[in-house]
Amino acid sequence: MAPRPAWERVLAIVQAWREAKGETFRNRHGGWGRDVALFWGRTACGLPLRRLGTAAGGRSDAAVSMAIQRFAVRLARGKPLRQMAESATQMLNVNA
């Protein structure tokens, strides 16, 4: 079984896509950068909700869970977003 990617790797990929530092996109209203980082942090890295909430600026477990669920729905509906997510998943797995 392959090792899980590190949270820092997830942040590096999202920061490169969003062309912004984590502090910038994690607090941006309506932006998907924080939600995609939380989604991969949970699904790819296997991090607990509490740790993700702390990394996202002190969000509650419930808020993190809802953000992950909302992003999963967006991912299922949007083909461009899904294609981007698939390429990021490959990057995470290759560079773990």
Side-chain angles (χ1 to χ4, degrees):
M1 184 173 198
R4 290 183 180 251
W7 170 246
E8 292 75 21
R9 182 67 186 144
V10 169
L11 286 180
I13 290 171
V14 174
Q15 287 173 1
W17 281 347
R18 299 299 294 171
E19 298 176 351
K21 298 231 181 259
E23 298 82 31
T24 304
F25 72 74
R26 81 173 180 197
N27 294 322
R28 187 174 296 159
H29 181 72
W32 54 265
R34 178 190 62 226
D35 294 346
V36 72
L38 294 173
F39 178 80
W40 281 322
R42 184 71 169 162
T43 59
C45 300
L47 297 174
L49 295 175
R50 180 146 307 159
R51 176 150 181 236
L52 291 170
T54 301
R59 307 264 184 311
S60 70
D61 296 359
V64 171
S65 179
M66 285 306 300
I68 291 169
Q69 289 175 25
R70 280 192 306 270
F71 185 76
V73 168
R74 282 183 74 182
L75 196 59
R77 290 183 181 166
K79 187 174 181 178
L81 187 59
R82 188 170 48 250
Q83 289 172 337
M84 185 181 64
E86 288 170 2
S87 70
T89 301
Q90 290 174 354
M91 288 172 61
L92 284 172
N93 291 334
V94 168
N95 298 316

Coordinates of all heavy atoms in Angstrom, one line a residue:
M1 N 0.8 -1.2 0.0 CA 0.0 0.0 0.0 C 0.9 1.2 0.0 O 1.8 1.4 0.8 CB -0.9 0.0 1.2 CG -1.9 1.1 1.3 SD -3.0 0.8 2.7 CE -4.3 1.8 2.2
A2 N 0.6 2.2 -0.9 CA 1.4 3.4 -1.0 C 1.1 4.3 0.2 O 0.0 4.4 0.8 CB 1.0 4.1 -2.3
P3 N 2.2 5.1 0.6 CA 2.0 6.0 1.7 C 1.1 7.2 1.3 O 1.0 7.5 0.1 CB 3.4 6.5 2.0 CG 4.1 6.3 0.7 CD 3.5 5.1 0.1
R4 N 0.4 7.7 2.3 CA -0.5 8.9 2.0 C 0.3 10.1 1.8 O 1.3 10.3 2.4 CB -1.5 9.0 3.2 CG -2.5 8.0 3.3 CD -3.5 8.3 4.4 NE -4.5 7.3 4.5 CZ -5.8 7.4 4.2 NH1 -6.2 8.6 3.8 NH2 -6.6 6.5 4.3
P5 N -0.2 11.0 1.0 CA 0.6 12.3 0.8 C 0.5 13.1 2.0 O -0.4 13.0 2.8 CB -0.2 12.9 -0.4 CG -1.5 12.3 -0.5 CD -1.4 10.9 0.1
A6 N 1.4 14.0 2.2 CA 1.5 14.9 3.3 C 0.6 16.1 3.1 O 0.3 16.5 1.9 CB 2.9 15.4 3.5
W7 N 0.0 16.7 4.2 CA -0.8 17.8 4.1 C -0.1 19.0 3.4 O -0.7 19.7 2.6 CB -1.2 18.2 5.5 CG -1.9 19.5 5.6 CD1 -1.5 20.6 6.3 CD2 -3.2 19.9 5.1 NE1 -2.4 21.7 6.2 CE2 -3.5 21.2 5.4 CE3 -4.2 19.2 4.3 CZ2 -4.6 21.9 5.1 CZ3 -5.3 19.9 4.0 CH2 -5.5 21.2 4.3
E8 N 1.2 19.1 3.6 CA 2.0 20.2 3.0 C 2.0 20.0 1.5 O 2.0 21.0 0.8 CB 3.4 20.2 3.6 CG 3.5 20.6 5.0 CD 3.1 19.5 6.0 OE1 3.0 18.3 5.6 OE2 2.7 19.8 7.1
R9 N 2.0 18.8 1.0 CA 1.9 18.6 -0.4 C 0.6 19.1 -1.0 O 0.5 19.7 -2.1 CB 2.2 17.1 -0.7 CG 2.2 16.8 -2.2 CD 3.4 17.4 -2.9 NE 3.3 17.2 -4.3 CZ 3.6 18.0 -5.2 NH1 4.2 19.1 -4.9 NH2 3.5 17.7 -6.5
V10 N -0.5 18.8 -0.3 CA -1.8 19.2 -0.7 C -1.8 20.7 -0.8 O -2.3 21.3 -1.8 CB -2.9 18.7 0.2 CG1 -4.3 19.4 0.0 CG2 -3.1 17.2 0.2
L11 N -1.3 21.4 0.2 CA -1.3 22.9 0.2 C -0.5 23.4 -0.9 O -0.9 24.4 -1.5 CB -0.8 23.4 1.6 CG -1.7 23.3 2.7 CD1 -1.1 23.8 4.0 CD2 -3.0 23.9 2.5
A12 N 0.7 22.8 -1.2 CA 1.5 23.3 -2.3 C 0.8 23.2 -3.6 O 0.9 24.1 -4.4 CB 2.8 22.5 -2.3
I13 N 0.1 22.1 -3.9 CA -0.6 22.0 -5.1 C -1.8 23.0 -5.2 O -1.9 23.7 -6.3 CB -1.2 20.5 -5.3 CG1 0.0 19.6 -5.5 CG2 -2.2 20.4 -6.5 CD1 -0.4 18.1 -5.5
V14 N -2.5 23.2 -4.2 CA -3.6 24.1 -4.2 C -3.1 25.5 -4.3 O -3.6 26.3 -5.1 CB -4.5 24.0 -3.0 CG1 -5.6 25.1 -2.9 CG2 -5.2 22.6 -2.9
Q15 N -2.0 25.9 -3.6 CA -1.4 27.2 -3.7 C -0.9 27.5 -5.2 O -1.1 28.6 -5.7 CB -0.3 27.4 -2.7 CG -0.8 27.5 -1.3 CD 0.3 27.5 -0.3 OE1 1.5 27.4 -0.7 NE2 0.0 27.5 0.9
A16 N -0.4 26.5 -5.8 CA 0.1 26.6 -7.2 C -1.1 26.9 -8.1 O -1.0 27.8 -9.0 CB 0.9 25.4 -7.6
W17 N -2.2 26.2 -7.9 CA -3.4 26.4 -8.8 C -4.0 27.7 -8.5 O -4.4 28.4 -9.5 CB -4.4 25.3 -8.5 CG -4.1 24.0 -9.2 CD1 -3.2 23.8 -10.2 CD2 -4.8 22.8 -9.0 NE1 -3.2 22.5 -10.5 CE2 -4.2 21.9 -9.8 CE3 -5.8 22.4 -8.1 CZ2 -4.6 20.5 -9.8 CZ3 -6.2 21.1 -8.1 CH2 -5.6 20.2 -9.0
R18 N -4.1 28.1 -7.3 CA -4.8 29.4 -6.9 C -3.9 30.5 -7.0 O -4.3 31.7 -6.9 CB -5.4 29.3 -5.5 CG -6.4 28.2 -5.3 CD -7.6 28.4 -6.2 NE -8.3 29.6 -5.8 CZ -9.3 30.1 -6.5 NH1 -9.7 29.5 -7.6 NH2 -9.9 31.2 -6.1
E19 N -2.6 30.3 -7.2 CA -1.6 31.3 -7.3 C -1.7 32.3 -6.1 O -1.6 33.5 -6.2 CB -1.6 32.1 -8.6 CG -1.4 31.2 -9.8 CD -1.6 31.9 -11.1 OE1 -2.0 33.1 -11.1 OE2 -1.2 31.3 -12.1
A20 N -1.8 31.6 -4.9 CA -1.9 32.4 -3.7 C -1.4 31.6 -2.5 O -1.4 30.4 -2.6 CB -3.4 32.8 -3.4
K21 N -1.1 32.3 -1.5 CA -0.6 31.6 -0.3 C -1.8 31.1 0.5 O -3.0 31.5 0.3 CB 0.1 32.6 0.6 CG 1.4 33.1 0.0 CD 2.5 32.9 0.9 CE 3.8 33.5 0.3 NZ 4.7 32.5 -0.2
G22 N -1.6 30.1 1.3 CA -2.7 29.4 2.1 C -3.5 30.4 2.9 O -4.7 30.3 3.0
E23 N -2.8 31.3 3.5 CA -3.6 32.3 4.4 C -4.5 33.1 3.5 O -5.6 33.6 4.0 CB -2.6 33.2 5.1 CG -1.6 32.6 6.0 CD -0.4 32.0 5.3 OE1 0.0 32.5 4.2 OE2 0.1 31.0 5.8
T24 N -4.2 33.4 2.3 CA -5.1 34.2 1.4 C -6.3 33.4 1.0 O -7.4 33.8 1.1 CB -4.3 34.6 0.1 OG1 -3.1 35.3 0.6 CG2 -5.2 35.5 -0.7
F25 N -6.1 32.2 0.5 CA -7.3 31.4 -0.1 C -8.1 30.8 1.0 O -9.3 30.5 0.8 CB -6.9 30.5 -1.2 CG -6.2 29.2 -0.8 CD1 -6.8 28.2 -0.1 CD2 -4.8 29.1 -1.1 CE1 -6.1 27.1 0.3 CE2 -4.2 27.9 -0.7 CZ -4.8 26.9 0.0
R26 N -7.6 30.5 2.2 CA -8.4 29.9 3.2 C -9.5 30.8 3.8 O -10.4 30.3 4.3 CB -7.5 29.3 4.3 CG -7.1 30.3 5.3 CD -6.4 29.6 6.5 NE -6.0 30.6 7.5 CZ -5.1 30.5 8.4 NH1 -4.5 29.3 8.5 NH2 -4.8 31.4 9.2
N27 N -9.3 32.1 3.7 CA -10.3 33.0 4.2 C -11.1 33.7 3.1 O -11.9 34.5 3.4 CB -9.6 34.1 5.1 CG -9.0 33.5 6.3 OD1 -9.6 32.6 6.9 ND2 -7.8 33.9 6.7
R28 N -10.9 33.4 1.9 CA -11.6 34.0 0.8 C -13.1 33.4 0.7 O -13.2 32.2 0.5 CB -10.9 33.8 -0.5 CG -11.5 34.6 -1.7 CD -10.7 34.5 -2.9 NE -9.3 35.1 -2.7 CZ -8.3 34.8 -3.4 NH1 -8.3 33.9 -4.3 NH2 -7.1 35.4 -3.1
H29 N -14.0 34.3 0.8 CA -15.4 33.9 0.7 C -15.8 33.5 -0.7 O -15.5 34.2 -1.7 CB -16.4 35.0 1.2 CG -17.8 34.6 1.1 ND1 -18.4 33.7 2.0 CD2 -18.8 35.0 0.3 CE1 -19.6 33.6 1.7 NE2 -19.9 34.3 0.6
G30 N -16.4 32.3 -0.9 CA -16.8 31.8 -2.2 C -15.7 31.2 -3.0 O -16.0 30.6 -4.1
G31 N -14.5 31.2 -2.5 CA -13.4 30.6 -3.3 C -13.4 29.1 -3.0 O -13.8 28.6 -1.9
W32 N -12.9 28.3 -3.9 CA -12.9 26.8 -3.8 C -11.6 26.3 -3.3 O -11.4 25.1 -3.0 CB -13.3 26.1 -5.0 CG -12.5 26.5 -6.2 CD1 -12.8 27.5 -7.2 CD2 -11.2 26.0 -6.6 NE1 -11.8 27.5 -8.1 CE2 -10.8 26.6 -7.8 CE3 -10.4 25.0 -6.1 CZ2 -9.6 26.4 -8.4 CZ3 -9.2 24.7 -6.7 CH2 -8.8 25.4 -7.9
G33 N -10.6 27.2 -3.1 CA -9.3 26.7 -2.7 C -9.3 26.0 -1.4 O -8.7 25.0 -1.2
R34 N -9.9 26.6 -0.4 CA -9.9 26.1 1.0 C -10.7 24.7 0.9 O -10.3 23.7 1.5 CB -10.6 27.0 1.9 CG -10.8 26.4 3.3 CD -11.6 27.3 4.2 NE -13.0 27.3 3.7 CZ -13.7 28.4 3.6 NH1 -13.2 29.6 4.0 NH2 -14.9 28.4 3.1
D35 N -11.8 24.7 0.2 CA -12.6 23.5 0.2 C -11.9 22.3 -0.5 O -12.0 21.2 0.0 CB -14.0 23.8 -0.5 CG -14.9 24.7 0.3 OD1 -14.6 25.0 1.4 OD2 -15.8 25.2 -0.3
V36 N -11.2 22.6 -1.6 CA -10.5 21.5 -2.2 C -9.3 21.0 -1.3 O -9.1 19.8 -1.3 CB -10.0 21.9 -3.6 CG1 -8.9 22.9 -3.6 CG2 -9.6 20.7 -4.4
A37 N -8.7 21.9 -0.6 CA -7.6 21.5 0.3 C -8.2 20.6 1.4 O -7.6 19.6 1.7 CB -6.9 22.7 0.8
L38 N -9.3 21.0 1.9 CA -10.0 20.2 3.0 C -10.4 18.9 2.4 O -10.2 17.8 3.1 CB -11.2 21.0 3.6 CG -10.8 22.2 4.3 CD1 -12.1 23.0 4.7 CD2 -10.0 22.0 5.5
F39 N -11.0 18.9 1.2 CA -11.4 17.6 0.6 C -10.2 16.6 0.5 O -10.3 15.5 0.8 CB -12.0 17.9 -0.7 CG -12.5 16.7 -1.5 CD1 -13.7 16.1 -1.2 CD2 -11.7 16.2 -2.5 CE1 -14.1 15.0 -1.9 CE2 -12.2 15.1 -3.2 CZ -13.4 14.5 -2.9
W40 N -9.1 17.1 -0.1 CA -8.0 16.2 -0.3 C -7.3 15.9 1.0 O -6.8 14.8 1.2 CB -7.0 16.8 -1.2 CG -7.4 16.7 -2.7 CD1 -8.0 15.6 -3.2 CD2 -7.2 17.6 -3.7 NE1 -8.2 15.8 -4.6 CE2 -7.7 17.1 -4.9 CE3 -6.7 18.9 -3.7 CZ2 -7.7 17.7 -6.1 CZ3 -6.7 19.6 -4.9 CH2 -7.2 19.0 -6.1
G41 N -7.3 16.8 2.0 CA -6.8 16.5 3.3 C -7.5 15.4 3.9 O -6.9 14.5 4.6
R42 N -8.8 15.3 3.7 CA -9.6 14.2 4.3 C -9.5 13.0 3.5 O -9.2 11.9 4.1 CB -11.0 14.7 4.4 CG -11.9 13.7 5.1 CD -11.6 13.7 6.6 NE -12.7 12.9 7.2 CZ -12.6 12.4 8.4 NH1 -11.5 12.5 9.1 NH2 -13.6 11.7 8.9
T43 N -9.7 13.1 2.2 CA -9.8 11.9 1.4 C -8.4 11.3 1.0 O -8.2 10.1 1.1 CB -10.5 12.1 0.1 OG1 -9.9 13.2 -0.7 CG2 -12.0 12.5 0.4
A44 N -7.4 12.1 0.7 CA -6.1 11.6 0.3 C -5.2 11.4 1.4 O -4.5 10.5 1.5 CB -5.5 12.6 -0.8
C45 N -5.2 12.4 2.4 CA -4.2 12.3 3.5 C -4.8 11.6 4.7 O -4.1 11.2 5.6 CB -3.9 13.7 3.9 SG -3.1 14.7 2.6
G46 N -6.1 11.5 4.8 CA -6.8 10.8 5.9 C -6.7 11.6 7.2 O -6.7 11.0 8.3
L47 N -6.6 12.9 7.1 CA -6.5 13.7 8.3 C -7.9 13.8 9.0 O -8.9 13.9 8.4 CB -6.0 15.1 7.9 CG -4.6 15.1 7.4 CD1 -4.3 16.5 6.9 CD2 -3.6 14.6 8.4
P48 N -7.9 13.9 10.3 CA -9.1 14.1 11.1 C -9.7 15.5 10.9 O -9.0 16.5 10.6 CB -8.7 13.9 12.5 CG -7.2 14.0 12.6 CD -6.7 13.7 11.2
L49 N -11.0 15.6 11.0 CA -11.7 16.9 10.9 C -11.1 18.0 11.8 O -11.0 19.1 11.3 CB -13.2 16.7 11.1 CG -13.9 15.8 10.1 CD1 -15.4 15.7 10.6 CD2 -13.8 16.3 8.7
R50 N -10.8 17.6 13.0 CA -10.3 18.6 13.9 C -9.0 19.2 13.4 O -8.8 20.5 13.5 CB -10.1 18.0 15.3 CG -9.5 19.0 16.3 CD -10.0 18.8 17.7 NE -11.5 18.8 17.7 CZ -12.2 18.2 18.6 NH1 -11.6 17.7 19.6 NH2 -13.5 18.2 18.6
R51 N -8.0 18.4 12.9 CA -6.8 18.9 12.4 C -7.0 19.8 11.2 O -6.4 20.9 11.0 CB -5.8 17.8 12.1 CG -4.5 18.3 11.5 CD -3.4 17.5 11.7 NE -2.2 18.1 11.1 CZ -1.4 17.5 10.2 NH1 -1.6 16.2 9.9 NH2 -0.4 18.1 9.7
L52 N -7.9 19.4 10.3 CA -8.2 20.2 9.1 C -8.8 21.5 9.5 O -8.5 22.6 8.9 CB -9.1 19.4 8.2 CG -8.5 18.2 7.5 CD1 -9.6 17.4 6.8 CD2 -7.4 18.6 6.5
G53 N -9.7 21.5 10.5 CA -10.3 22.8 11.0 C -9.3 23.7 11.5 O -9.4 24.9 11.3
T54 N -8.3 23.2 12.3 CA -7.2 24.0 12.8 C -6.4 24.6 11.7 O -6.1 25.8 11.7 CB -6.3 23.2 13.7 OG1 -7.1 22.7 14.8 CG2 -5.2 24.1 14.3
A55 N -6.1 23.8 10.7 CA -5.3 24.3 9.5 C -6.1 25.3 8.7 O -5.5 26.1 8.0 CB -4.9 23.1 8.6
A56 N -7.4 25.2 8.7 CA -8.3 26.2 8.0 C -8.6 27.4 8.8 O -9.6 28.1 8.4 CB -9.5 25.4 7.5
G57 N -7.9 27.7 9.8 CA -8.1 28.9 10.5 C -9.1 28.8 11.7 O -9.8 29.7 12.0
G58 N -9.1 27.6 12.3 CA -10.0 27.4 13.5 C -11.4 27.1 13.2 O -12.3 27.4 14.0
R59 N -11.7 26.5 12.1 CA -13.1 26.1 11.8 C -13.5 24.9 12.6 O -12.6 24.1 13.0 CB -13.2 25.7 10.3 CG -12.7 26.8 9.3 CD -13.8 27.7 8.8 NE -13.6 28.7 7.8 CZ -12.7 29.6 7.8 NH1 -11.7 29.7 8.7 NH2 -12.7 30.6 6.9
S60 N -14.8 24.8 12.9 CA -15.3 23.6 13.6 C -15.3 22.4 12.8 O -15.2 22.4 11.6 CB -16.7 23.9 14.1 OG -17.6 23.9 13.0
D61 N -15.4 21.2 13.5 CA -15.5 19.9 12.8 C -16.7 19.9 11.8 O -16.6 19.4 10.7 CB -15.6 18.8 13.8 CG -14.4 18.6 14.7 OD1 -13.4 19.4 14.5 OD2 -14.4 17.7 15.5
A62 N -17.8 20.5 12.3 CA -19.0 20.5 11.5 C -18.8 21.3 10.2 O -19.3 21.0 9.1 CB -20.2 21.0 12.3
A63 N -18.2 22.5 10.4 CA -17.9 23.4 9.2 C -17.0 22.7 8.2 O -17.2 22.8 7.0 CB -17.3 24.7 9.7
V64 N -16.0 22.0 8.7 CA -15.1 21.3 7.8 C -15.8 20.2 7.1 O -15.7 20.0 5.9 CB -13.9 20.8 8.6 CG1 -13.0 19.8 7.7 CG2 -13.0 21.9 9.1
S65 N -16.6 19.4 7.8 CA -17.4 18.4 7.2 C -18.3 18.9 6.1 O -18.4 18.3 5.0 CB -18.2 17.6 8.3 OG -18.9 16.6 7.7
M66 N -19.0 20.0 6.4 CA -19.9 20.5 5.4 C -19.1 21.0 4.1 O -19.6 20.9 3.0 CB -20.7 21.7 6.0 CG -21.9 21.2 6.9 SD -23.0 20.0 6.1 CE -23.6 20.9 4.7
A67 N -18.0 21.7 4.4 CA -17.2 22.1 3.2 C -16.8 21.0 2.4 O -16.8 21.1 1.1 CB -16.0 22.9 3.7
I68 N -16.4 19.9 3.0 CA -16.0 18.7 2.2 C -17.1 18.1 1.4 O -17.0 17.8 0.3 CB -15.4 17.6 3.2 CG1 -14.0 18.1 3.7 CG2 -15.2 16.3 2.5 CD1 -13.5 17.3 4.9
Q69 N -18.3 18.1 2.1 CA -19.5 17.5 1.4 C -19.9 18.4 0.2 O -20.2 18.0 -0.8 CB -20.7 17.4 2.4 CG -20.5 16.3 3.4 CD -21.6 16.3 4.4 OE1 -22.7 16.7 4.2 NE2 -21.3 15.7 5.6
R70 N -19.9 19.8 0.4 CA -20.2 20.7 -0.6 C -19.3 20.6 -1.8 O -19.7 20.6 -3.0 CB -20.2 22.1 -0.1 CG -21.5 22.5 0.6 CD -21.5 24.0 0.8 NE -20.3 24.6 1.5 CZ -20.1 24.7 2.8 NH1 -21.1 24.3 3.6 NH2 -19.0 25.2 3.3
F71 N -18.0 20.4 -1.5 CA -17.0 20.3 -2.6 C -17.2 19.0 -3.3 O -17.1 18.9 -4.6 CB -15.6 20.4 -2.1 CG -14.6 20.4 -3.2 CD1 -14.4 21.5 -4.0 CD2 -13.9 19.2 -3.6 CE1 -13.6 21.5 -5.1 CE2 -13.0 19.2 -4.6 CZ -12.9 20.4 -5.4
A72 N -17.6 17.9 -2.6 CA -17.8 16.6 -3.3 C -19.0 16.7 -4.3 O -19.0 16.2 -5.4 CB -18.1 15.5 -2.3
V73 N -20.0 17.5 -3.9 CA -21.2 17.7 -4.8 C -20.7 18.5 -6.0 O -21.1 18.2 -7.2 CB -22.3 18.4 -4.1 CG1 -23.4 18.9 -5.0 CG2 -22.9 17.5 -3.0
R74 N -19.9 19.6 -5.8 CA -19.4 20.4 -6.9 C -18.6 19.5 -7.8 O -18.6 19.7 -9.1 CB -18.6 21.6 -6.4 CG -19.3 22.7 -5.9 CD -18.4 23.8 -5.5 NE -17.9 24.5 -6.7 CZ -17.0 25.5 -6.6 NH1 -16.6 26.0 -5.4 NH2 -16.6 26.1 -7.7
L75 N -17.8 18.7 -7.3 CA -16.9 17.8 -8.0 C -17.7 16.8 -8.9 O -17.4 16.6 -10.0 CB -16.0 17.0 -7.0 CG -14.8 16.3 -7.6 CD1 -13.9 17.3 -8.2 CD2 -14.1 15.6 -6.4
A76 N -18.8 16.3 -8.4 CA -19.6 15.4 -9.1 C -20.4 16.1 -10.3 O -20.7 15.5 -11.3 CB -20.7 14.7 -8.2
R77 N -20.7 17.4 -10.1 CA -21.4 18.1 -11.1 C -20.6 18.8 -12.2 O -21.1 18.9 -13.3 CB -22.3 19.2 -10.5 CG -23.4 18.7 -9.6 CD -24.2 19.8 -9.1 NE -25.3 19.3 -8.2 CZ -26.0 20.0 -7.4 NH1 -25.7 21.3 -7.3 NH2 -26.9 19.4 -6.7
G78 N -19.4 19.1 -11.9 CA -18.6 19.9 -12.9 C -17.5 19.1 -13.5 O -16.5 18.7 -12.9
K79 N -17.6 18.9 -14.8 CA -16.6 18.2 -15.5 C -15.2 18.8 -15.5 O -14.2 18.1 -15.2 CB -17.0 17.9 -17.0 CG -16.1 17.0 -17.7 CD -16.6 16.6 -19.0 CE -15.6 15.6 -19.7 NZ -16.1 15.2 -21.0
P80 N -15.1 20.1 -15.7 CA -13.7 20.7 -15.7 C -13.1 20.6 -14.3 O -11.9 20.3 -14.2 CB -14.0 22.2 -16.0 CG -15.3 22.2 -16.8 CD -16.1 21.1 -16.2
L81 N -13.9 20.8 -13.3 CA -13.4 20.7 -11.9 C -13.0 19.2 -11.6 O -12.0 19.0 -11.0 CB -14.5 21.1 -10.9 CG -14.0 21.2 -9.4 CD1 -12.9 22.2 -9.3 CD2 -15.2 21.6 -8.6
R82 N -13.8 18.3 -12.1 CA -13.5 16.9 -11.9 C -12.2 16.5 -12.6 O -11.3 15.8 -12.1 CB -14.6 16.0 -12.4 CG -14.5 14.6 -12.1 CD -15.8 13.7 -12.4 NE -16.4 14.0 -13.7 CZ -17.5 14.6 -13.9 NH1 -18.2 15.1 -12.8 NH2 -18.0 14.8 -15.1
Q83 N -12.0 17.0 -13.8 CA -10.7 16.7 -14.6 C -9.5 17.3 -13.8 O -8.5 16.6 -13.7 CB -10.8 17.3 -16.0 CG -11.8 16.5 -16.9 CD -12.0 17.2 -18.2 OE1 -11.8 18.4 -18.4 NE2 -12.4 16.4 -19.2
M84 N -9.7 18.5 -13.3 CA -8.6 19.1 -12.5 C -8.3 18.3 -11.3 O -7.1 18.1 -10.9 CB -9.0 20.5 -12.2 CG -7.9 21.3 -11.5 SD -8.3 22.9 -11.0 CE -9.6 22.6 -9.9
A85 N -9.4 17.8 -10.6 CA -9.2 17.0 -9.4 C -8.5 15.7 -9.7 O -7.7 15.3 -8.9 CB -10.5 16.8 -8.8
E86 N -8.8 15.1 -10.8 CA -8.2 13.9 -11.2 C -6.7 14.1 -11.4 O -5.8 13.3 -11.0 CB -8.8 13.3 -12.4 CG -10.2 12.7 -12.1 CD -11.0 12.3 -13.4 OE1 -10.4 12.4 -14.5 OE2 -12.1 11.8 -13.2
S87 N -6.3 15.2 -12.1 CA -4.9 15.4 -12.3 C -4.2 15.7 -11.0 O -3.0 15.3 -10.8 CB -4.7 16.6 -13.3 OG -5.1 17.8 -12.8
A88 N -4.8 16.4 -10.1 CA -4.2 16.7 -8.8 C -4.1 15.4 -8.0 O -3.1 15.2 -7.3 CB -5.1 17.7 -8.0
T89 N -5.0 14.5 -8.1 CA -4.9 13.3 -7.4 C -3.7 12.5 -7.9 O -3.0 11.9 -7.1 CB -6.2 12.4 -7.5 OG1 -7.3 13.2 -7.0 CG2 -6.2 11.1 -6.8
Q90 N -3.5 12.5 -9.2 CA -2.3 11.8 -9.7 C -1.1 12.5 -9.2 O -0.1 11.8 -8.9 CB -2.4 11.9 -11.3 CG -3.5 11.0 -11.9 CD -3.6 11.2 -13.4 OE1 -3.0 12.0 -14.0 NE2 -4.4 10.3 -14.0
M91 N -1.0 13.8 -9.2 CA 0.1 14.5 -8.7 C 0.4 14.2 -7.2 O 1.5 14.0 -6.8 CB -0.1 16.0 -8.8 CG 0.0 16.5 -10.2 SD -0.5 18.3 -10.3 CE 0.8 19.1 -9.3
L92 N -0.7 14.1 -6.4 CA -0.5 13.7 -5.0 C 0.0 12.3 -4.9 O 0.9 12.0 -4.0 CB -1.9 13.8 -4.3 CG -2.4 15.2 -4.0 CD1 -3.8 15.1 -3.4 CD2 -1.5 15.8 -2.9
N93 N -0.5 11.4 -5.7 CA 0.0 10.0 -5.6 C 1.4 9.8 -6.1 O 2.1 9.0 -5.5 CB -1.0 9.1 -6.3 CG -2.4 9.0 -5.6 OD1 -2.5 9.2 -4.4 ND2 -3.4 8.7 -6.4
V94 N 1.8 10.5 -7.1 CA 3.1 10.4 -7.7 C 4.1 11.0 -6.8 O 5.2 10.4 -6.5 CB 3.2 11.0 -9.1 CG1 4.6 11.2 -9.6 CG2 2.3 10.3 -10.1
N95 N 3.8 12.1 -6.2 CA 4.8 12.9 -5.4 C 4.6 12.7 -3.9 O 5.0 13.5 -3.1 CB 4.7 14.4 -5.7 CG 5.0 14.6 -7.2 OD1 6.0 14.1 -7.7 ND2 4.2 15.4 -7.8
A96 N 4.0 11.6 -3.5 CA 3.7 11.4 -2.0 C 5.0 11.2 -1.2 O 6.0 10.9 -1.6 CB 2.9 10.2 -1.9

